[in-house]
Amino acid sequence: EVQLVESGGVVVQPGGSLRLSCTASGFTFDEYTMHWVRQAPGKGLQWVSLINWDGGTTHYEDSVKGRFTVSRDNSKNSLYLQMESLRPEDTALYYCVRGARGDGTKEFDYWGQGTLVTVSS
Amino acid sequence: DIQLTQSPSSLSASVGDRVTITCRASQSIRRYLNWYHQKQGNAPKLLIYAASSLQSGVPSRFSGSGSGTYFTLTISTVQPEDFATYYCQHSYSSPRTFGQGTKLEIK
């Protein structure tokens, strides 16, 4: 059974830093691109970042470029999101999401339950 | 960046109705379009990928069509468990983007 379990969400002050983690199981982690998607309270879904299977390619949503860094450790089946210079508008539930396998077209087929980040003084 | 516009933003339907939600892209995304629904308090669930491929385990009353810039999601016979918020999302390029959502409510 595929499982994605996020952790690390807390209340943090504006300007602060935080690292989110996602531990994957039930599939061959290093064959898949992985994504972070967030959802502000009562709002829609917003894609945040992706990292390809070996970490050699990363992409970010414009509002987090230069502040967030996605990484992975395939030996630990883990995905990370390092968040710096946090802003109140970064407050959201952050989901770890499985992407495509290799050059496949199917992505976002498995989601974690999310970890809540609250940026507030 | 590619923008996705869903319509309607909200929709009231009765059990047994046929409903259609549309998603328009700001430029051609070929068939790189996915559909999800999200129930309150839960993570989104993939329904349709690559515009018309039904995700494993998803009931056949859900179907998708379209290519280029115009896409539709149809529920042939709405069931009680289908009342949720529906999102389209493209996987054509980065940044990925989602539509703003369509809330399907009980009439």
Side-chain angles (χ1 to χ4, degrees):
Chain A
E1 179 192 6
V2 172
Q3 286 195 313
L4 299 167
V5 180
E6 304 95 336
S7 61
V10 292
V11 178
V12 60
Q13 291 190 337
S17 301
L18 198 57
R19 188 173 91 149
L20 305 183
S21 300
C22 169
T23 301
S25 60
F27 66 102
T28 306
F29 183 69
D30 64 8
E31 291 184 348
Y32 288 83
T33 293
M34 296 295 296
H35 299 257
W36 289 98
V37 174
R38 68 184 179 184
Q39 186 168 34
K43 302 297 185 182
L45 300 168
Q46 183 183 39
W47 176 83
V48 174
S49 181
L50 74 78
I51 185 167
N52 78 329
W53 69 275
D54 67 354
T57 298
T58 58
H59 291 285
Y60 300 92
E61 193 269 330
D62 282 349
S63 70
V64 308
K65 279 181 185 175
R67 300 189 299 123
F68 290 10
T69 303
V70 62
S71 62
R72 65 192 295 161
D73 184 338
N74 287 341
S75 70
K76 297 181 178 179
N77 286 356
S78 293
L79 174 71
Y80 307 102
L81 187 67
Q82 179 69 40
M83 310 165 70
E84 308 280 352
S85 304
L86 282 161
R87 306 167 179 168
E89 55 266 35
D90 295 319
T91 293
L93 188 64
Y94 284 74
Y95 291 104
C96 168
V97 188
R98 191 173 83 167
R101 179 184 178 193
D103 294 332
T105 57
K106 183 164 69 170
E107 61 178 23
F108 290 38
D109 56 348
Y110 286 93
W111 298 61
Q113 283 306 301
T115 187
L116 183 62
V117 173
T118 303
V119 184
S120 174
S121 54
Chain B
D1 297 357
I2 297 169
Q3 309 301 319
L4 297 179
T5 303
Q6 286 181 237
S7 60
S9 296
S10 64
L11 178 59
S12 294
S14 300
V15 172
D17 284 354
R18 179 184 181 89
V19 301
T20 297
I21 299 167
T22 66
C23 181
R24 293 180 185 269
S26 58
Q27 66 184 73
S28 175
I29 55 171
R30 296 165 60 183
R31 293 179 58 83
Y32 290 92
L33 193 284
N34 311 308
W35 291 98
Y36 307 84
H37 72 185
Q38 185 179 32
K39 299 179 186 179
Q40 191 70 25
N42 290 330
K45 176 184 176 182
L46 178 65
L47 302 172
I48 301 287
Y49 63 97
S52 62
S53 295
L54 190 68
Q55 169 66 351
S56 175
V58 174
S60 60
R61 63 180 181 271
F62 291 93
S63 64
S65 67
S67 66
T69 62
Y70 184 76
F71 301 87
T72 61
L73 173 72
T74 297
I75 310 172
S76 60
T77 309
V78 173
Q79 297 301 301
E81 59 268 31
D82 299 337
F83 293 98
T85 300
Y86 290 78
Y87 295 93
C88 60
Q89 175 252 339
H90 83 83
S91 52
Y92 181 76
S93 62
S94 293
R96 307 291 198 265
T97 50
F98 290 86
Q100 80 277 15
T102 295
K103 189 171 185 178
L104 178 58
E105 299 175 305
I106 301 173
K107 185 183 289 183

